Structure formats: structure tokens, C-alpha cells
Amino acid sequence: MMADQSQRGILDTSTVILLEQLTDILSLPKEPVITVVTLAELSVGPLVATFSSEQATRQLRLQQVEYDFDPLPFDAAAARTFGRVTASLHRAGRKTRARAYDAMIAAIAISNNLPLYTCNPSDFEHIDDLDLRPLPHPDTMRI
């Protein structure tokens, strides 16, 4: 059975990091986009890497993502939606500060009426109105 490939969808940070390892490309949107939050998270990677080889790998990924994507902004609509997202996490008993980046990505997805594709769906549990599209994590696909 072929997957229903949406036209446009947001890839969260974990999915961008794992993109080259994903095997079911039909599960991805035809037009993948990222948010400025993912770009910000990826920008931290090279600066906190312990080993120079890991720093180089992360820097290369960041540069490739900057080249490949024009990120969606965290604009006024996303900021207003962020309040609702954070409230839904709070009601579910989740630590909102620990989930701040994920909540911002979700707010951008909701405010742009786009599905969010992730290899870590638990990061986005209990967020109201989010069209979440879980992807198989490559680590769970290995035999």
C-alpha cells in the first residue's frame, strides 16, 4: 500500500537530522519545509560538539540545511498559537519549558495549517490541533 504523500509539510529537528537514514521516502511530504526553530537548534550543534569530527559533521549538516530550506518564521500567528500549545502541554502535565522548542515548532505547524513529520512523536504528545505524522525511527528499523 502506498503512503498518502502530502504536498507540503514541516520536518521537525529530529527528522532533519535523520533524513539521510529514512527508508520510506513516500512517508515524507512532497515539499518538505523546516522552521527557524529547527535552524536554531541545528546551529547549536557544532558549537557544543565534543569531538572535532562531530563538530565538522554537524557544521556540514547545518550548511546543507541552510542551502536546502527556506525556513518558516516564528511570526505573530505562531506566537499566539504557542500560547495554546503550551497550555495544552500544561493541562497534560508535561513540562512546558523542557518542550519549548518542540512547542514552537508545533505552533508554527498549526498556525500555517501544515502537518508535522517527526521520528519522535512522543515529543509532541498532548498538543491540541496538531496534525502529527509519525515516521519510523531508523534505529527501530534495524534488524
Side-chain angles (χ1 to χ4, degrees):
M1 183 164 87
M2 296 198 66
D4 177 30
Q5 194 174 28
S6 295
Q7 289 294 75
R8 193 167 190 229
I10 295 175
L11 307 180
D12 79 323
T13 308
S14 68
T15 304
V16 171
I17 291 169
L18 297 169
L19 200 54
E20 293 178 357
Q21 298 174 43
L22 299 179
T23 57
D24 185 8
I25 60 170
L26 291 179
S27 296
L28 295 170
K30 288 181 182 177
E31 184 185 341
V33 295
I34 65 166
T35 71
V36 295
V37 178
T38 289
L39 190 57
E41 287 186 284
L42 293 175
S43 295
V44 173
L47 302 173
V48 299
T50 305
F51 301 103
S52 59
S53 60
E54 184 64 21
Q55 181 182 24
T57 299
R58 291 177 180 191
Q59 183 64 38
L60 183 61
R61 179 184 301 118
L62 172 62
Q63 290 172 325
Q64 189 65 52
V65 167
E66 288 175 327
Y67 179 80
D68 289 342
F69 295 96
D70 184 19
L72 294 174
F74 187 80
D75 57 13
R80 286 189 299 276
T81 304
F82 178 76
R84 294 194 330 259
V85 168
T86 302
S88 66
L89 289 170
H90 180 75
R91 283 190 302 274
R94 298 201 66 190
K95 294 181 179 181
T96 56
R97 288 187 185 185
R99 302 266 50 102
Y101 295 137
D102 296 331
M104 292 174 78
I105 292 170
I108 295 170
I110 294 166
S111 68
N112 283 277
N113 198 31
L114 291 172
L116 178 62
Y117 293 78
T118 182
C119 294
N120 295 325
S122 64
D123 290 349
F124 299 93
E125 285 180 343
H126 307 292
I127 297 177
D128 297 339
D129 303 321
L130 179 61
D131 181 0
L132 190 61
R133 309 283 175 94
L135 298 167
H137 196 289
D139 290 346
T140 63
M141 302 301 290
R142 294 190 178 134
I143 298 175

